[in-house]
Amino acid sequence: MQKFFIHTFGCQMNVYDGQRIAAMLHARGFVETNDFRDADIIILNTCSVREKATDKVFSALGRIRLEKKPDALLGIVGCVAREVGGTAFKRVPELNFVLGPQSYHKLPEILENPDVRLLNIDLGGLEKFDEMPQMDASPAVAYIPIQEGCNHVCTYCIVPYTRGREISRPYMDVVRDTEHAARTGAVEICFLGQNVNGYRYENYKLADLIRAAAAIPNVRRIRFTSSYPTEMTDDLIEMFATEQKLLPFLNMPIQSGSPDVLHRMNRPYSLDSYMEIVNKLRAARGDIQISSDFIVGFPGETDDDFARTIDIARCVKYINSFTFKYSPRPHTAAAIMPNQVPENVKKQRLYKLDAELSEIQREFNLSCVGKTLECLCEGADKTGRHTVYRTPYMQQCIVNTVAGSAPQMAMIKITDANKASLRGEFAE
Ligand code: SAH
Ligand code: F3S
């Protein structure tokens, strides 16, 4: 029996790509192993959004190449493959294949022809979605990509280079995948895209996909990620008022609270126009919670610029956010901007912002105590003695019951909270 090992780094889109690669290998009779030493094919599914992410891939390769079975095939797929291309073979001579995020469906070529190095980092568009076997959604949450790539050129971001220009999948293909997921056990649908609310196919927009998903009885919860602020159009905002299955939670990254930094990042909104969208969302759905990505230490960011980021975090009261130190990336404009911020300053700012966001999160979590929320079961916690649920705001809620007997969806009364999670019990 042939075995494969796959390790996925990075974003939800990579997780999806990893699942598709696994499904493709399963269909060819491979079984998965979680020990690379035991595998006949080893795949690192990679992320290049920050330099550290790329470094991690090469340090993992350094270890794997020494300990793998001598004839095991070794390769990288995803964004690092696209970033470094054929130079990867020079850095790691044992590599057999290097496949970009839109060409991993070419993987079988290496199985048929293991003696020839396989390099393909083309931006093949939607081809990969057509050529791969459909997956069954065994877990309760199905991640369904609806578009890929990004037309916004944020000056720090390598994604438009690694994933290419935006392309939206045909409306009917997404509906078919959503129906298939619901039929095979998914109760939550998460539409995915680098610029998910930029979805456009003929006259269809994201709001149409949400409506189509909501019409499927088994689908109980719908969300989407990641959204670009200026593409949060009124028709989409309206969905938060009219579609109760749409969760009251939205990731809408602001990145920075400084108008000057936003300008240099090429993010085309003002704080006023961003807040106008937030206010419209809150008018549509009073309890909506917003999450953001933040970058600290962007080139030229002053203490005053950074103080404005803290101000906007307090003002919006973001929850479940992601914070990053700016990392210069190849193929991006910001990497060659003057006034790069020293590492120790970035570190201090990150620490300060994290502390602030954590306090905001704690306050929000505490405000949930006493409320009863409809939550989705995620499975057992690490001890196996408790079950983890997700609230409609994507907080973790721990319930004192073993996962085997836990209902998939349950009304849970929140009894306690800290900055990291909630505790609750089944409501009577
Ligand atoms: N809209 C995209 C975002 C991709 S990158 C998506 O959802 O796929 C995710 C986050 O990483 C960005 O929102 C940004 O905050 C951060 N990021 C991107 N490039 C970065 C860089 N060069 N340095 C630090 N953080 C970065
Ligand atoms: Fe990157 Fe900006 Fe697009 S963060 S993915 S270029 S919206």
Side-chain angles (χ1 to χ4, degrees), residues 11 13 49-51 150 156-159 193-196 225-228 251 253 255 267 293-296 322 324-329 332:
C11 68
M13 189 71 93
V49 78
R50 282 165 291 280
E51 193 178 6
C150 187
Y156 50 82
C157 186
I158 196 173
V159 171
Q194 266 85 38
N195 180 29
V196 73
T225 197
S226 272
S227 292
Y228 193 74
N251 174 258
Q255 309 294 358
R267 303 279 295 184
D293 300 355
F294 294 93
I295 296 177
V296 300
F322 300 96
F324 308 104
K325 286 183 288 184
Y326 167 71
S327 166
R329 304 306 294 125
T332 65

Side-chain angles (χ1 to χ4, degrees), residues 104-412:
Y104 60 75
H105 54 287
K106 307 277 184 202
L107 188 67
E109 289 177 17
I110 195 74
L111 302 174
E112 278 140 32
N113 220 343
D115 299 326
V116 182
R117 278 180 166 167
L118 176 63
L119 170 68
N120 188 323
I121 55 168
D122 297 347
L123 295 173
L126 298 175
E127 210 182 292
K128 71 175 185 187
F129 292 109
D130 299 332
E131 293 204 6
M132 311 273 294
Q134 201 162 32
M135 294 181 297
D136 285 346
S138 46
V141 184
Y143 291 92
I144 299 183
I146 66 171
Q147 64 85 235
E148 175 141 347
C150 187
N151 288 353
H152 299 290
V153 190
C154 301
T155 52
Y156 50 82
C157 186
I158 196 173
V159 171
Y161 177 78
T162 56
R163 298 246 174 200
R165 307 285 288 172
E166 248 167 81
I167 341 187
S168 292
R169 295 180 63 202
Y171 173 80
M172 279 319 297
D173 289 6
V174 178
V175 172
R176 184 202 60 208
D177 283 2
T178 309
E179 285 170 348
H180 180 84
R183 240 189 340 265
T184 54
V187 294
E188 180 175 304
I189 299 294
C190 179
F191 290 126
L192 283 185
Q194 266 85 38
N195 180 29
V196 73
N197 54 345
Y199 178 85
R200 298 278 183 287
Y201 184 78
E202 295 174 348
N203 289 326
Y204 295 108
K205 297 175 70 183
L206 176 55
D208 299 300
L209 289 174
I210 294 168
R211 249 177 248 118
I216 302 171
N218 291 357
V219 172
R220 305 279 296 274
R221 319 202 324 171
I222 302 166
R223 60 192 169 97
F224 53 89
T225 197
S226 272
S227 292
Y228 193 74
T230 57
E231 301 210 59
M232 225 42 231
T233 47
D234 288 348
D235 62 315
L236 186 55
I237 293 173
E238 187 60 24
M239 294 307 291
F240 286 94
T242 56
E243 192 38 75
Q244 291 309 305
K245 290 183 181 180
L246 188 58
L247 291 180
F249 176 75
L250 177 70
N251 174 258
M252 185 171 73
I254 191 162
Q255 309 294 358
S256 165
S258 154
D260 291 346
V261 172
L262 288 173
H263 179 73
R264 286 200 302 281
M265 286 177 162
N266 195 29
R267 303 279 295 184
Y269 44 83
S270 64
L271 296 189
D272 284 347
S273 63
Y274 185 93
M275 285 311 296
E276 197 183 319
I277 301 163
V278 170
N279 292 334
K280 278 189 194 171
L281 285 160
R282 289 193 174 138
R285 186 84 173 255
D287 64 335
I288 197 166
Q289 301 302 317
I290 296 166
S291 111
S292 181
D293 300 355
F294 294 93
I295 296 177
V296 300
F298 186 79
E301 186 189 66
T302 61
D303 285 341
D304 188 52
D305 290 322
F306 174 66
R308 287 162 180 253
T309 297
I310 297 275
D311 289 344
I312 196 79
R314 283 192 189 133
C315 171
V316 179
K317 295 193 192 314
Y318 290 106
I319 65 159
N320 303 357
S321 294
F322 300 96
T323 56
F324 308 104
K325 286 183 288 184
Y326 167 71
S327 166
R329 304 306 294 125
H331 316 287
T332 65
I336 48 171
M337 282 182 186
N339 304 319
Q340 298 281 327
V341 174
E343 182 61 24
N344 63 331
V345 176
K346 287 186 202 170
K347 225 185 227 168
Q348 282 163 8
R349 289 182 186 164
L350 185 72
Y351 181 82
K352 238 173 135 177
L353 180 59
D354 282 345
E356 193 63 43
L357 289 169
S358 166
E359 180 53 28
I360 297 168
Q361 180 91 44
R362 198 179 66 90
E363 278 166 26
F364 176 63
N365 288 356
L366 281 172
S367 78
C368 294
V369 174
K371 291 191 177 145
T372 298
L373 304 173
E374 190 176 39
C375 300
L376 173 68
C377 180
E378 254 187 12
D381 75 347
K382 278 188 210 121
T383 68
R385 282 179 282 132
H386 313 288
T387 302
V388 181
Y389 278 83
R390 278 281 161 192
T391 72
Y393 314 106
M394 301 308 288
Q395 300 140 293
Q396 274 199 346
C397 179
I398 318 279
V399 180
N400 219 344
T401 185
V402 287
S405 60
Q408 193 172 44
M409 293 281 292
M411 296 303 293
I412 292 177

Side-chain angles (χ1 to χ4, degrees), residues 70-86:
D71 55 349
L73 293 169
L74 175 63
I76 57 174
V77 301
C79 289
V80 171
R82 168 94 183 138
E83 178 194 339
V84 302

